[in-house]
Amino acid sequence: MKVHGLPTRSIRSLEGGESVEIIDQTLLPFRFERRVLTTWEDAVEAIRNMRVRGAPLIGITGASKGGRSHPQRPSHGGESLVGGDAHARSSFAARAQ
């Protein structure tokens, strides 16, 4: 899509995938503002508060921070969110809703 005549994406990777930039959809159509998500907490907040909308964008946002930047969470006894522990992954997904 174009915003002010410039090609723009709803989400894009920054810093080699360490963070993502989103358009804060809660402000549209009156304001156009981008947000940078650097942690899994940022991604959960963006999804929960509908800063990102639509199944594809929600999925990309969750996947971008859900397992890579914070693969272990002490609240789950250090179990990895990626791989073997399905309960930890489903708990993470449930909190993001």
Side-chain angles (χ1 to χ4, degrees):
M1 80 180 122
K2 288 190 176 185
V3 176
H4 305 294
L6 300 172
T8 305
R9 295 185 181 267
S10 299
I11 188 169
R12 70 182 181 128
S13 179
L14 299 175
E15 303 168 16
E18 293 297 315
S19 59
V20 294
E21 181 182 71
I22 63 165
I23 296 171
D24 186 339
Q25 295 184 16
T26 62
L27 303 174
L28 297 174
F30 303 106
R31 282 184 28 214
F32 177 81
E33 189 174 301
R34 294 182 174 117
R35 288 180 159 261
V36 176
L37 311 178
T38 56
T39 66
W40 67 268
E41 293 98 340
D42 293 342
V44 169
E45 189 277 337
I47 293 167
R48 185 174 286 145
N49 292 306
M50 297 185 69
R51 296 185 196 290
V52 292
R53 298 180 188 172
L57 190 54
I58 290 169
I60 292 167
T61 302
S64 72
K65 296 287 128 200
R68 224 174 30 190
S69 66
H70 199 328
Q72 301 210 341
R73 296 201 35 224
S75 63
H76 283 87
E79 298 161 340
S80 175
L81 292 176
V82 181
D85 189 355
H87 176 70
R89 288 192 313 275
S90 65
S91 294
F92 174 81
R95 281 191 301 282
Q97 295 180 3

Short mmCIF file of all heavy atoms in Angstrom, two decimals, residues 1-61:
data_model
loop_
_atom_site.label_atom_id
_atom_site.label_comp_id
_atom_site.label_asym_id
_atom_site.label_seq_id
_atom_site.Cartn_x
_atom_site.Cartn_y
_atom_site.Cartn_z
N MET A 1 0.84 -1.16 0.00
CA MET A 1 0.00 0.00 0.00
C MET A 1 0.89 1.23 0.00
O MET A 1 2.05 1.17 0.36
CB MET A 1 -0.92 -0.03 1.21
CG MET A 1 -0.27 0.42 2.51
SD MET A 1 -1.37 0.35 3.88
CE MET A 1 -0.40 -0.75 4.88
N LYS A 2 0.31 2.36 -0.39
CA LYS A 2 1.05 3.61 -0.36
C LYS A 2 0.46 4.53 0.70
O LYS A 2 -0.75 4.65 0.83
CB LYS A 2 1.01 4.29 -1.72
CG LYS A 2 1.84 3.58 -2.76
CD LYS A 2 1.97 4.39 -4.00
CE LYS A 2 2.90 3.67 -4.97
NZ LYS A 2 3.16 4.48 -6.16
N VAL A 3 1.35 5.15 1.46
CA VAL A 3 0.97 6.14 2.47
C VAL A 3 1.73 7.41 2.12
O VAL A 3 2.96 7.39 2.05
CB VAL A 3 1.30 5.66 3.89
CG1 VAL A 3 0.99 6.74 4.91
CG2 VAL A 3 0.58 4.36 4.22
N HIS A 4 0.99 8.48 1.88
CA HIS A 4 1.60 9.74 1.45
C HIS A 4 2.47 9.53 0.21
O HIS A 4 3.53 10.12 0.07
CB HIS A 4 2.41 10.39 2.57
CG HIS A 4 1.64 10.60 3.83
ND1 HIS A 4 0.58 11.48 3.93
CD2 HIS A 4 1.75 10.02 5.05
CE1 HIS A 4 0.09 11.44 5.15
NE2 HIS A 4 0.78 10.56 5.85
N GLY A 5 2.01 8.63 -0.66
CA GLY A 5 2.71 8.37 -1.91
C GLY A 5 3.91 7.44 -1.82
O GLY A 5 4.56 7.16 -2.81
N LEU A 6 4.21 6.94 -0.62
CA LEU A 6 5.38 6.07 -0.44
C LEU A 6 4.93 4.63 -0.19
O LEU A 6 4.01 4.39 0.59
CB LEU A 6 6.21 6.54 0.76
CG LEU A 6 6.78 7.95 0.67
CD1 LEU A 6 7.42 8.34 1.99
CD2 LEU A 6 7.79 8.04 -0.46
N PRO A 7 5.59 3.66 -0.83
CA PRO A 7 5.26 2.25 -0.56
C PRO A 7 5.48 1.93 0.93
O PRO A 7 6.52 2.29 1.49
CB PRO A 7 6.25 1.48 -1.43
CG PRO A 7 6.74 2.46 -2.44
CD PRO A 7 6.65 3.80 -1.80
N THR A 8 4.48 1.32 1.55
CA THR A 8 4.53 1.04 2.98
C THR A 8 4.01 -0.37 3.24
O THR A 8 3.08 -0.81 2.59
CB THR A 8 3.65 2.06 3.74
OG1 THR A 8 4.09 3.38 3.40
CG2 THR A 8 3.75 1.89 5.23
N ARG A 9 4.60 -1.06 4.20
CA ARG A 9 4.14 -2.38 4.61
C ARG A 9 3.50 -2.31 5.99
O ARG A 9 3.91 -1.50 6.82
CB ARG A 9 5.30 -3.37 4.64
CG ARG A 9 5.91 -3.61 3.29
CD ARG A 9 6.98 -4.68 3.38
NE ARG A 9 7.58 -4.91 2.09
CZ ARG A 9 7.18 -5.84 1.23
NH1 ARG A 9 6.18 -6.62 1.54
NH2 ARG A 9 7.78 -5.99 0.08
N SER A 10 2.52 -3.20 6.23
CA SER A 10 1.86 -3.25 7.54
C SER A 10 2.82 -3.71 8.62
O SER A 10 2.68 -3.34 9.78
CB SER A 10 0.66 -4.19 7.49
OG SER A 10 -0.27 -3.72 6.57
N ILE A 11 3.78 -4.55 8.24
CA ILE A 11 4.80 -5.04 9.18
C ILE A 11 6.07 -5.24 8.38
O ILE A 11 6.04 -5.64 7.22
CB ILE A 11 4.35 -6.35 9.86
CG1 ILE A 11 5.32 -6.75 10.96
CG2 ILE A 11 4.16 -7.46 8.86
CD1 ILE A 11 4.82 -7.88 11.86
N ARG A 12 7.20 -4.92 9.01
CA ARG A 12 8.48 -5.17 8.34
C ARG A 12 9.54 -5.48 9.38
O ARG A 12 9.50 -5.00 10.51
CB ARG A 12 8.90 -4.01 7.46
CG ARG A 12 9.31 -2.77 8.20
CD ARG A 12 9.66 -1.65 7.23
NE ARG A 12 10.08 -0.47 7.97
CZ ARG A 12 11.20 0.18 7.75
NH1 ARG A 12 12.01 -0.21 6.80
NH2 ARG A 12 11.51 1.22 8.47
N SER A 13 10.48 -6.28 8.96
CA SER A 13 11.58 -6.70 9.81
C SER A 13 12.62 -5.59 9.88
O SER A 13 12.93 -4.96 8.89
CB SER A 13 12.20 -7.98 9.24
OG SER A 13 13.29 -8.39 10.03
N LEU A 14 13.16 -5.40 11.07
CA LEU A 14 14.23 -4.42 11.29
C LEU A 14 15.42 -5.10 11.94
O LEU A 14 15.27 -6.12 12.60
CB LEU A 14 13.75 -3.29 12.22
CG LEU A 14 12.57 -2.44 11.76
CD1 LEU A 14 12.18 -1.47 12.87
CD2 LEU A 14 12.90 -1.69 10.50
N GLU A 15 16.57 -4.51 11.78
CA GLU A 15 17.78 -4.96 12.47
C GLU A 15 18.03 -6.45 12.30
O GLU A 15 18.28 -7.17 13.27
CB GLU A 15 17.69 -4.58 13.95
CG GLU A 15 17.50 -3.10 14.17
CD GLU A 15 17.14 -2.76 15.60
OE1 GLU A 15 17.33 -3.60 16.50
OE2 GLU A 15 16.68 -1.64 15.82
N GLY A 16 17.93 -6.92 11.07
CA GLY A 16 18.21 -8.33 10.79
C GLY A 16 17.24 -9.28 11.47
O GLY A 16 17.59 -10.41 11.78
N GLY A 17 16.03 -8.84 11.73
CA GLY A 17 15.03 -9.70 12.35
C GLY A 17 14.95 -9.59 13.86
O GLY A 17 14.14 -10.26 14.49
N GLU A 18 15.76 -8.74 14.46
CA GLU A 18 15.75 -8.59 15.92
C GLU A 18 14.50 -7.86 16.41
O GLU A 18 14.10 -8.00 17.55
CB GLU A 18 17.00 -7.87 16.40
CG GLU A 18 18.27 -8.66 16.21
CD GLU A 18 18.26 -9.96 17.02
OE1 GLU A 18 17.88 -9.93 18.20
OE2 GLU A 18 18.63 -10.99 16.44
N SER A 19 13.90 -7.05 15.54
CA SER A 19 12.68 -6.35 15.88
C SER A 19 11.82 -6.22 14.63
O SER A 19 12.29 -6.46 13.52
CB SER A 19 12.99 -4.98 16.49
OG SER A 19 13.73 -4.19 15.58
N VAL A 20 10.56 -5.86 14.83
CA VAL A 20 9.67 -5.61 13.71
C VAL A 20 8.99 -4.27 13.91
O VAL A 20 8.79 -3.82 15.04
CB VAL A 20 8.60 -6.73 13.54
CG1 VAL A 20 9.24 -8.04 13.14
CG2 VAL A 20 7.75 -6.89 14.77
N GLU A 21 8.65 -3.64 12.80
CA GLU A 21 7.94 -2.38 12.84
C GLU A 21 6.53 -2.61 12.31
O GLU A 21 6.35 -3.25 11.27
CB GLU A 21 8.66 -1.35 11.97
CG GLU A 21 8.00 0.01 11.96
CD GLU A 21 8.72 0.96 11.05
OE1 GLU A 21 8.64 0.78 9.82
OE2 GLU A 21 9.37 1.88 11.58
N ILE A 22 5.54 -2.11 13.03
CA ILE A 22 4.15 -2.26 12.63
C ILE A 22 3.52 -0.88 12.48
O ILE A 22 4.02 0.10 13.02
CB ILE A 22 3.32 -3.08 13.64
CG1 ILE A 22 3.27 -2.37 15.01
CG2 ILE A 22 3.86 -4.50 13.77
CD1 ILE A 22 2.21 -2.90 15.96
N ILE A 23 2.40 -0.84 11.77
CA ILE A 23 1.56 0.35 11.75
C ILE A 23 0.56 0.16 12.88
O ILE A 23 -0.10 -0.88 12.97
CB ILE A 23 0.83 0.49 10.40
CG1 ILE A 23 1.85 0.71 9.28
CG2 ILE A 23 -0.18 1.62 10.47
CD1 ILE A 23 1.23 0.65 7.90
N ASP A 24 0.46 1.14 13.77
CA ASP A 24 -0.49 1.06 14.88
C ASP A 24 -1.88 1.30 14.32
O ASP A 24 -2.28 2.43 14.04
CB ASP A 24 -0.15 2.09 15.95
CG ASP A 24 -1.01 1.95 17.19
OD1 ASP A 24 -2.11 1.35 17.11
OD2 ASP A 24 -0.60 2.43 18.25
N GLN A 25 -2.63 0.21 14.14
CA GLN A 25 -3.92 0.29 13.49
C GLN A 25 -5.02 0.87 14.39
O GLN A 25 -6.10 1.20 13.91
CB GLN A 25 -4.31 -1.08 12.95
CG GLN A 25 -3.36 -1.51 11.87
CD GLN A 25 -3.74 -2.82 11.23
OE1 GLN A 25 -4.86 -3.30 11.36
NE2 GLN A 25 -2.80 -3.42 10.52
N THR A 26 -4.73 1.04 15.69
CA THR A 26 -5.72 1.66 16.57
C THR A 26 -5.86 3.16 16.29
O THR A 26 -6.84 3.77 16.69
CB THR A 26 -5.38 1.46 18.06
OG1 THR A 26 -4.12 2.10 18.34
CG2 THR A 26 -5.30 -0.01 18.42
N LEU A 27 -4.87 3.73 15.63
CA LEU A 27 -4.87 5.17 15.37
C LEU A 27 -5.46 5.54 14.02
O LEU A 27 -5.74 6.72 13.77
CB LEU A 27 -3.44 5.70 15.47
CG LEU A 27 -2.74 5.43 16.80
CD1 LEU A 27 -1.28 5.87 16.74
CD2 LEU A 27 -3.47 6.11 17.94
N LEU A 28 -5.58 4.55 13.14
CA LEU A 28 -6.11 4.81 11.79
C LEU A 28 -7.59 5.11 11.85
O LEU A 28 -8.29 4.60 12.72
CB LEU A 28 -5.86 3.59 10.89
CG LEU A 28 -4.39 3.23 10.64
CD1 LEU A 28 -4.31 1.94 9.86
CD2 LEU A 28 -3.65 4.33 9.93
N PRO A 29 -8.15 5.90 11.00
CA PRO A 29 -7.55 6.59 9.85
C PRO A 29 -7.09 8.02 10.16
O PRO A 29 -6.63 8.73 9.28
CB PRO A 29 -8.69 6.63 8.84
CG PRO A 29 -9.91 6.82 9.70
CD PRO A 29 -9.61 6.03 10.97
N PHE A 30 -7.18 8.44 11.41
CA PHE A 30 -6.89 9.84 11.74
C PHE A 30 -5.40 10.13 11.92
O PHE A 30 -4.97 11.25 11.69
CB PHE A 30 -7.67 10.26 12.99
CG PHE A 30 -9.15 10.06 12.80
CD1 PHE A 30 -9.81 9.02 13.42
CD2 PHE A 30 -9.87 10.88 11.95
CE1 PHE A 30 -11.16 8.82 13.23
CE2 PHE A 30 -11.22 10.69 11.74
CZ PHE A 30 -11.87 9.66 12.38
N ARG A 31 -4.65 9.13 12.38
CA ARG A 31 -3.21 9.29 12.55
C ARG A 31 -2.51 8.08 11.99
O ARG A 31 -3.01 6.96 12.06
CB ARG A 31 -2.85 9.41 14.05
CG ARG A 31 -3.13 10.77 14.59
CD ARG A 31 -2.72 11.00 16.03
NE ARG A 31 -1.62 10.22 16.54
CZ ARG A 31 -1.54 9.79 17.81
NH1 ARG A 31 -2.51 10.07 18.66
NH2 ARG A 31 -0.50 9.10 18.22
N PHE A 32 -1.31 8.30 11.46
CA PHE A 32 -0.47 7.22 10.97
C PHE A 32 0.79 7.21 11.82
O PHE A 32 1.54 8.18 11.85
CB PHE A 32 -0.10 7.45 9.50
CG PHE A 32 0.82 6.40 8.96
CD1 PHE A 32 0.32 5.18 8.54
CD2 PHE A 32 2.18 6.63 8.89
CE1 PHE A 32 1.18 4.20 8.05
CE2 PHE A 32 3.05 5.66 8.40
CZ PHE A 32 2.54 4.45 7.98
N GLU A 33 0.96 6.11 12.56
CA GLU A 33 2.11 6.01 13.46
C GLU A 33 2.65 4.59 13.39
O GLU A 33 1.89 3.62 13.38
CB GLU A 33 1.68 6.34 14.88
CG GLU A 33 2.80 6.48 15.86
CD GLU A 33 2.30 6.95 17.21
OE1 GLU A 33 1.69 8.04 17.28
OE2 GLU A 33 2.51 6.21 18.19
N ARG A 34 3.95 4.48 13.37
CA ARG A 34 4.60 3.16 13.39
C ARG A 34 5.06 2.87 14.81
O ARG A 34 5.38 3.78 15.57
CB ARG A 34 5.79 3.15 12.44
CG ARG A 34 5.39 3.30 10.99
CD ARG A 34 6.63 3.23 10.11
NE ARG A 34 6.25 3.22 8.73
CZ ARG A 34 6.57 4.17 7.86
NH1 ARG A 34 7.28 5.20 8.26
NH2 ARG A 34 6.21 4.09 6.62
N ARG A 35 5.13 1.57 15.13
CA ARG A 35 5.66 1.12 16.43
C ARG A 35 6.69 0.04 16.16
O ARG A 35 6.51 -0.78 15.28
CB ARG A 35 4.55 0.49 17.29
CG ARG A 35 3.58 1.46 17.84
CD ARG A 35 2.55 0.71 18.68
NE ARG A 35 1.92 1.61 19.59
CZ ARG A 35 2.24 1.76 20.86
NH1 ARG A 35 3.16 1.02 21.39
NH2 ARG A 35 1.61 2.62 21.62
N VAL A 36 7.72 0.03 16.97
CA VAL A 36 8.75 -1.01 16.87
C VAL A 36 8.53 -1.99 18.01
O VAL A 36 8.42 -1.59 19.18
CB VAL A 36 10.17 -0.40 16.93
CG1 VAL A 36 11.22 -1.49 16.94
CG2 VAL A 36 10.38 0.55 15.74
N LEU A 37 8.46 -3.27 17.67
CA LEU A 37 8.29 -4.34 18.66
C LEU A 37 9.62 -5.06 18.78
O LEU A 37 10.13 -5.59 17.79
CB LEU A 37 7.20 -5.31 18.22
CG LEU A 37 5.87 -4.70 17.76
CD1 LEU A 37 4.91 -5.80 17.32
CD2 LEU A 37 5.26 -3.85 18.86
N THR A 38 10.18 -5.09 19.99
CA THR A 38 11.49 -5.72 20.17
C THR A 38 11.43 -6.96 21.05
O THR A 38 12.36 -7.76 21.03
CB THR A 38 12.51 -4.72 20.76
OG1 THR A 38 11.98 -4.20 21.97
CG2 THR A 38 12.77 -3.58 19.79
N THR A 39 10.38 -7.11 21.83
CA THR A 39 10.29 -8.25 22.75
C THR A 39 8.99 -9.00 22.52
O THR A 39 8.06 -8.50 21.88
CB THR A 39 10.32 -7.77 24.22
OG1 THR A 39 9.13 -7.03 24.49
CG2 THR A 39 11.56 -6.95 24.51
N TRP A 40 8.91 -10.19 23.10
CA TRP A 40 7.65 -10.95 22.98
C TRP A 40 6.54 -10.23 23.74
O TRP A 40 5.38 -10.28 23.35
CB TRP A 40 7.82 -12.40 23.44
CG TRP A 40 8.10 -12.58 24.90
CD1 TRP A 40 9.32 -12.64 25.49
CD2 TRP A 40 7.14 -12.70 25.95
NE1 TRP A 40 9.18 -12.79 26.85
CE2 TRP A 40 7.85 -12.84 27.16
CE3 TRP A 40 5.75 -12.72 25.97
CZ2 TRP A 40 7.20 -12.98 28.38
CZ3 TRP A 40 5.11 -12.86 27.19
CH2 TRP A 40 5.84 -12.99 28.38
N GLU A 41 6.90 -9.48 24.81
CA GLU A 41 5.88 -8.71 25.53
C GLU A 41 5.29 -7.61 24.64
O GLU A 41 4.09 -7.34 24.70
CB GLU A 41 6.47 -8.07 26.81
CG GLU A 41 6.86 -9.06 27.88
CD GLU A 41 8.34 -9.39 27.87
OE1 GLU A 41 9.02 -9.18 26.85
OE2 GLU A 41 8.83 -9.87 28.91
N ASP A 42 6.14 -6.99 23.83
CA ASP A 42 5.66 -5.97 22.88
C ASP A 42 4.67 -6.59 21.90
O ASP A 42 3.64 -5.99 21.58
CB ASP A 42 6.82 -5.37 22.08
CG ASP A 42 7.78 -4.54 22.90
OD1 ASP A 42 7.43 -4.12 24.02
OD2 ASP A 42 8.91 -4.32 22.40
N ALA A 43 4.99 -7.79 21.41
CA ALA A 43 4.11 -8.47 20.45
C ALA A 43 2.78 -8.82 21.09
O ALA A 43 1.72 -8.62 20.49
CB ALA A 43 4.79 -9.73 19.91
N VAL A 44 2.80 -9.33 22.32
CA VAL A 44 1.56 -9.67 23.03
C VAL A 44 0.72 -8.42 23.23
O VAL A 44 -0.49 -8.42 22.98
CB VAL A 44 1.86 -10.36 24.39
CG1 VAL A 44 0.61 -10.47 25.24
CG2 VAL A 44 2.47 -11.73 24.16
N GLU A 45 1.34 -7.33 23.64
CA GLU A 45 0.62 -6.08 23.85
C GLU A 45 -0.01 -5.59 22.54
O GLU A 45 -1.17 -5.16 22.51
CB GLU A 45 1.56 -5.01 24.42
CG GLU A 45 0.89 -3.74 24.88
CD GLU A 45 0.60 -2.73 23.78
OE1 GLU A 45 1.26 -2.76 22.71
OE2 GLU A 45 -0.32 -1.91 23.98
N ALA A 46 0.73 -5.65 21.45
CA ALA A 46 0.22 -5.19 20.15
C ALA A 46 -0.97 -6.03 19.69
O ALA A 46 -1.96 -5.50 19.18
CB ALA A 46 1.33 -5.23 19.10
N ILE A 47 -0.89 -7.35 19.90
CA ILE A 47 -2.00 -8.23 19.51
C ILE A 47 -3.20 -8.01 20.43
O ILE A 47 -4.33 -7.85 19.97
CB ILE A 47 -1.54 -9.70 19.53
CG1 ILE A 47 -0.50 -9.94 18.43
CG2 ILE A 47 -2.74 -10.64 19.38
CD1 ILE A 47 0.23 -11.26 18.55
N ARG A 48 -2.96 -7.99 21.72
CA ARG A 48 -4.04 -7.85 22.71
C ARG A 48 -4.80 -6.53 22.53
O ARG A 48 -6.02 -6.48 22.66
CB ARG A 48 -3.47 -7.94 24.12
CG ARG A 48 -4.53 -7.92 25.20
CD ARG A 48 -3.95 -8.17 26.56
NE ARG A 48 -3.62 -9.59 26.67
CZ ARG A 48 -2.58 -10.07 27.33
NH1 ARG A 48 -1.75 -9.26 27.95
NH2 ARG A 48 -2.36 -11.35 27.37
N ASN A 49 -4.09 -5.45 22.23
CA ASN A 49 -4.70 -4.13 22.10
C ASN A 49 -5.07 -3.78 20.66
O ASN A 49 -5.39 -2.64 20.37
CB ASN A 49 -3.79 -3.07 22.70
CG ASN A 49 -3.71 -3.23 24.20
OD1 ASN A 49 -4.73 -3.27 24.89
ND2 ASN A 49 -2.51 -3.38 24.72
N MET A 50 -5.02 -4.78 19.79
CA MET A 50 -5.43 -4.66 18.39
C MET A 50 -4.64 -3.61 17.62
O MET A 50 -5.16 -2.95 16.73
CB MET A 50 -6.94 -4.44 18.29
CG MET A 50 -7.71 -5.62 18.82
SD MET A 50 -9.48 -5.48 18.60
CE MET A 50 -9.61 -5.63 16.83
N ARG A 51 -3.38 -3.44 17.98
CA ARG A 51 -2.51 -2.57 17.19
C ARG A 51 -2.22 -3.22 15.85
O ARG A 51 -1.92 -2.54 14.88
CB ARG A 51 -1.23 -2.26 17.94
CG ARG A 51 -1.48 -1.49 19.22
CD ARG A 51 -0.22 -1.07 19.92
NE ARG A 51 -0.48 -0.68 21.28
CZ ARG A 51 -1.13 0.42 21.65
NH1 ARG A 51 -1.58 1.24 20.74
NH2 ARG A 51 -1.31 0.69 22.91
N VAL A 52 -2.28 -4.55 15.82
CA VAL A 52 -2.21 -5.32 14.58
C VAL A 52 -3.53 -6.06 14.45
O VAL A 52 -4.07 -6.55 15.44
CB VAL A 52 -1.02 -6.30 14.55
CG1 VAL A 52 0.29 -5.56 14.50
CG2 VAL A 52 -1.03 -7.24 15.72
N ARG A 53 -4.07 -6.13 13.24
CA ARG A 53 -5.38 -6.75 13.02
C ARG A 53 -5.33 -7.64 11.80
O ARG A 53 -4.60 -7.38 10.86
CB ARG A 53 -6.45 -5.68 12.83
CG ARG A 53 -6.61 -4.80 14.05
CD ARG A 53 -7.66 -3.76 13.84
NE ARG A 53 -7.64 -2.83 14.98
CZ ARG A 53 -8.33 -1.73 15.01
NH1 ARG A 53 -9.09 -1.37 14.00
NH2 ARG A 53 -8.26 -0.95 16.06
N GLY A 54 -6.15 -8.68 11.85
CA GLY A 54 -6.24 -9.61 10.74
C GLY A 54 -5.35 -10.81 10.99
O GLY A 54 -4.23 -10.67 11.48
N ALA A 55 -5.87 -11.98 10.68
CA ALA A 55 -5.16 -13.23 10.99
C ALA A 55 -3.73 -13.28 10.45
O ALA A 55 -2.81 -13.65 11.19
CB ALA A 55 -5.97 -14.43 10.49
N PRO A 56 -3.47 -12.91 9.19
CA PRO A 56 -2.09 -13.00 8.72
C PRO A 56 -1.14 -12.11 9.50
O PRO A 56 -0.05 -12.53 9.90
CB PRO A 56 -2.18 -12.56 7.25
CG PRO A 56 -3.59 -12.83 6.86
CD PRO A 56 -4.40 -12.56 8.11
N LEU A 57 -1.55 -10.87 9.76
CA LEU A 57 -0.67 -9.94 10.48
C LEU A 57 -0.48 -10.35 11.93
O LEU A 57 0.62 -10.26 12.48
CB LEU A 57 -1.24 -8.52 10.38
CG LEU A 57 -0.34 -7.39 10.87
CD1 LEU A 57 1.01 -7.42 10.19
CD2 LEU A 57 -1.01 -6.06 10.63
N ILE A 58 -1.54 -10.83 12.57
CA ILE A 58 -1.42 -11.32 13.95
C ILE A 58 -0.46 -12.51 14.00
O ILE A 58 0.40 -12.59 14.88
CB ILE A 58 -2.80 -11.69 14.52
CG1 ILE A 58 -3.63 -10.43 14.74
CG2 ILE A 58 -2.67 -12.50 15.82
CD1 ILE A 58 -5.09 -10.68 15.05
N GLY A 59 -0.59 -13.43 13.06
CA GLY A 59 0.29 -14.60 13.01
C GLY A 59 1.75 -14.22 12.82
O GLY A 59 2.64 -14.74 13.50
N ILE A 60 2.01 -13.30 11.91
CA ILE A 60 3.39 -12.86 11.66
C ILE A 60 3.95 -12.15 12.89
O ILE A 60 5.10 -12.38 13.27
CB ILE A 60 3.45 -11.95 10.42
CG1 ILE A 60 3.13 -12.76 9.17
CG2 ILE A 60 4.80 -11.28 10.29
CD1 ILE A 60 2.87 -11.93 7.94
N THR A 61 3.15 -11.32 13.51
CA THR A 61 3.61 -10.59 14.71
C THR A 61 3.95 -11.57 15.82
O THR A 61 5.02 -11.48 16.45
CB THR A 61 2.53 -9.60 15.19
OG1 THR A 61 2.23 -8.69 14.14
CG2 THR A 61 3.00 -8.84 16.42
#
